[in-house]
Amino acid sequence: MDTDAHRLESSLWVGRKRYRAVLNGWHFSWTLLDKQNRDRKTVSVPVSELIGVEEGQVEFQPQKKVTETDRDFTVFSIKRHCKGGGSGVFWTLGRTQFYCPSRDLRDRWVTQLRNALKTHSPSRPHRLLVFINPFGGKKRGRKIYHSLVAPLFELAGISTHVVVTERANQARDHILKKDLTGFDGVVCVGGDGMFSELLHGVIGRTQQEAGLSEHDPTVTLQPCDLHIGIIPAGSTDCVCFATVGVNDPVTSTLHIIIGDSQPLDVCSVHHTSLFVRYSVSLVGYGFYGDVLAESERYRWMGPLRYDFSGCMVFLSNRSYRGKVYFLPADSQLSSPRDNTRCFAGCHVCSESTERLFPQSDSISHTGFLYSTQYSQHSSPWEGEWETVEGEFKCISLTCMSSCCPRSPLGLSPSAHLADGTADLILVRDTHPLGFLTYLHRHTNSQDQFDLPFVEVHRVKAVRFSPPPGEDEAEQLDDPDSGGTVMAEDDGQGETAAGGDWTGSAQHLSARVQERGVVGTKKRAKRDFLCGPCCRRSPSVSVWNCDGELLPFTEVLCRVHGQLVRLFARGIEEEFVTCNGTLGKKNFKGRYITHT
């Protein structure tokens, strides 16, 4: 046996087979030995991907069962596999039971492995605040957490405080107002709507503590230290899919346990000097706004309402005039047409960290940004603004690819998670067949930008104005337009930094949507059969901001680079497909062999 402060080596048995096990700091490996003591197959696992080490013979499935023995210990680690069809890599819990010649050796292995976990995985969370949405998706949030997530947190030694939400914005309000001392992160068990609540709470609290006003679109926001974890359990889980690669609760839980850290760009949306919302996936006008507004009439359909509303809006063949102003990003750094993908360890995002935070080390030894030294100090409006005017089918702004199971490459396949930019997609008015071609290309590998009526720009900021003289309240007040009802400004929207959040545009938008739903119920009976196809086309559309309707048509959007951090690492490149056509490696068996 060879042992020192950072290394331990000895013979161990797995079943009836003898192995030479080696712990050399960053990796734990075991090599099968034949009868002549020659090396055969070697399995190596990074210490950072160990979940836990338990004494005795420990079973985890279907429920935890411990058999006390003097010479056994069990190692739990991450196991990767694919389910076929190019669905991405899934993480599951791998289990290996080792037998030692003596109890003393067993105790040394357990101690050394646990010490290695503490030394080489300092960014792992120890205490988490968990919010469960019991109403989202198929109402399986509670079951998913208690049957799949909680046992893994317990195995990893993570303590949790669980809040089951009972109303909209409860999670956001809790983060804004409660004492969060001692928590290493917040986790949502739900869909994109639940994630948005945590996003607004974490960003809002950070700006309050920093004394910054969210209503000033020129202010440089303080990056957030508190990590956000997403356990997918909603009807839409776009953010989880775009940052992990699959919508799987166990995979996401394991990313949280090992303390993965993925920075994420965030887009702030303003109306004049009023902050409205934050967005990470989609700010859409025209088609995507109309689909969301129309879907509010058919909430009783569940998720199917989006497909139904999409068909109805497409048949209505609407387009809208407007003027788009945008501030282009540096085309030498990256381009939305460069055919690159943002994978785990993306070099574009890594270089952007150095560009966005030049006064600090990109990442501290714990994996957190030095938020006290954030230095996106250059003017947010540096550069020449460009203008595009015309009639548009849809206008989309996304800070990520926005890929999902239905659209594997997303709205903008080459968009990056953390490069401080967003992709602006302008789809000009065209015939219905051309627009259908554009929509259909989102579901396959064809280039949706390779169409004469589509243009895409990588930008740092965007401003949209409706045609001069058009009253945006026309569409919002018109009961036949399909939009929401415009709410009166109660004068509470402009609050000082750290002031009362209840008067912000977030609540205004919620009240607008509630009033819009009430209005649509009165018209549901006569509109069900004909829908928007038989109503006159409005002059302006509505904005869809990550699944929420905005009460304003004229908006200003600005990208804040790496404003928040998720418990994720991005999509792992070598596992993009399971059939080897795009993947770098073909992994079979229980564990991945690392070289």
Side-chain angles (χ1 to χ4, degrees), residues 207 212-221 270 374 380-381 558 560:
Q207 309 322 310
L212 299 175
S213 173
E214 295 175 280
H215 298 287
D216 183 359
T218 65
V219 73
T220 298
L221 298 181
H270 293 78
Y374 74 102
W381 315 128
R558 178 193 169 188
H560 301 267

Side-chain angles (χ1 to χ4, degrees), residues 108-348:
R108 289 188 181 184
W109 271 109
V110 171
T111 301
Q112 287 284 79
L113 286 169
R114 288 176 176 174
N115 288 340
L117 271 176
K118 294 179 181 178
T119 302
H120 299 296
S121 302
S123 61
R124 292 195 176 197
H126 301 288
R127 189 171 180 232
L128 296 171
L129 177 59
V130 180
F131 295 95
I132 301 176
N133 179 6
F135 308 108
K138 298 181 179 179
K139 300 182 180 180
R140 298 177 60 241
R142 278 196 182 101
K143 181 178 180 180
I144 287 174
Y145 178 77
H146 291 294
S147 63
L148 300 177
V149 180
L152 290 173
F153 282 162
E154 181 183 359
L155 177 65
I158 297 176
S159 63
T160 59
H161 176 71
V162 179
V163 177
V164 180
T165 59
E166 300 175 350
R167 59 175 176 83
N169 297 318
Q170 180 180 346
R172 184 204 62 196
D173 294 341
H174 187 108
I175 295 173
L176 284 169
K177 299 175 182 179
K178 300 294 184 178
D179 183 14
L180 302 183
T181 303
F183 288 109
D184 300 310
V186 293
V187 176
C188 64
V189 183
D192 290 333
M194 193 66 172
F195 166 77
S196 183
E197 285 196 33
L198 269 63
L199 178 76
H200 284 80
V202 169
I203 297 177
R205 183 185 183 99
T206 302
Q207 309 322 310
Q208 289 178 7
E209 293 176 347
L212 299 175
S213 173
E214 295 175 280
H215 298 287
D216 183 359
T218 65
V219 73
T220 298
L221 298 181
Q222 174 88 3
C224 307
D225 280 337
L226 199 64
H227 279 53
I228 302 175
I230 310 172
I231 306 297
S235 55
T236 59
D237 299 292
C238 172
V239 179
C240 180
F241 193 93
T243 56
V244 176
V246 294
N247 286 334
D248 176 60
V250 173
T251 301
S252 295
T253 302
L254 295 174
H255 277 287
I256 295 171
I257 288 174
I258 68 175
D260 271 343
S261 183
Q262 172 63 53
L264 190 66
D265 297 336
V266 178
C267 177
S268 63
V269 182
H270 293 78
H271 173 71
T272 61
S273 59
L274 175 68
F275 165 71
V276 184
R277 281 187 73 87
Y278 292 114
S279 167
V280 296
S281 60
L282 172 67
V283 183
Y285 182 81
F287 178 78
Y288 294 111
D290 290 349
V291 169
L292 181 62
E294 186 69 20
S295 70
E296 291 300 320
R297 304 172 183 271
Y298 312 108
R299 296 191 68 88
W300 53 271
M301 288 186 176
L304 184 62
R305 68 184 184 272
Y306 298 113
D307 295 329
F308 178 78
S309 299
C311 292
M312 300 297 284
V313 172
F314 172 78
L315 293 174
S316 70
N317 193 30
R318 295 173 180 170
S319 59
Y320 303 94
R321 292 197 61 80
K323 186 177 291 188
V324 182
Y325 308 84
F326 62 90
L327 186 61
D330 188 348
S331 60
Q332 295 182 350
L333 299 177
S334 63
S335 165
R337 300 297 303 276
D338 58 15
N339 294 321
T340 62
R341 296 288 305 278
C342 184
F343 293 118
C346 173
H347 72 92
V348 173

Side-chain angles (χ1 to χ4, degrees), residues 2 265 326 402 446 457 518:
D2 179 20
D265 297 336
F326 62 90
S402 294
Q446 288 184 281
H457 306 273
V518 172

Side-chain angles (χ1 to χ4, degrees), residues 72-115:
D72 292 283
F73 69 95
T74 307
V75 174
F76 295 95
S77 61
I78 291 171
K79 173 184 174 183
R80 291 172 171 85
H81 68 95
C82 291
K83 292 186 177 180
S87 58
V89 60
F90 288 77
W91 287 13
T92 57
L93 187 68
R95 171 186 174 274
T96 306
Q97 180 181 307
F98 295 94
Y99 174 82
C100 301
S102 67
R103 178 170 183 171
D104 177 66
L105 181 59
R106 191 279 305 270
D107 293 342
R108 289 188 181 184
W109 271 109
V110 171
T111 301
Q112 287 284 79
L113 286 169
R114 288 176 176 174
N115 288 340

Side-chain angles (χ1 to χ4, degrees), residues 371-425:
S371 60
T372 57
Q373 299 183 22
Y374 74 102
S375 54
Q376 299 178 42
H377 51 74
S378 60
S379 170
W381 315 128
E382 283 185 353
E384 294 291 332
W385 285 75
E386 297 184 13
T387 305
V388 178
E389 186 175 6
E391 196 160 340
F392 303 98
K393 284 286 188 183
C394 64
I395 300 170
S396 305
L397 183 70
T398 179
C399 290
M400 58 173 62
S401 67
S402 294
C403 58
C404 64
R406 286 192 172 187
S407 178
L409 297 181
L411 286 174
S412 186
S414 295
H416 290 272
L417 295 173
D419 66 342
T421 69
D423 285 354
L424 172 66
I425 306 166

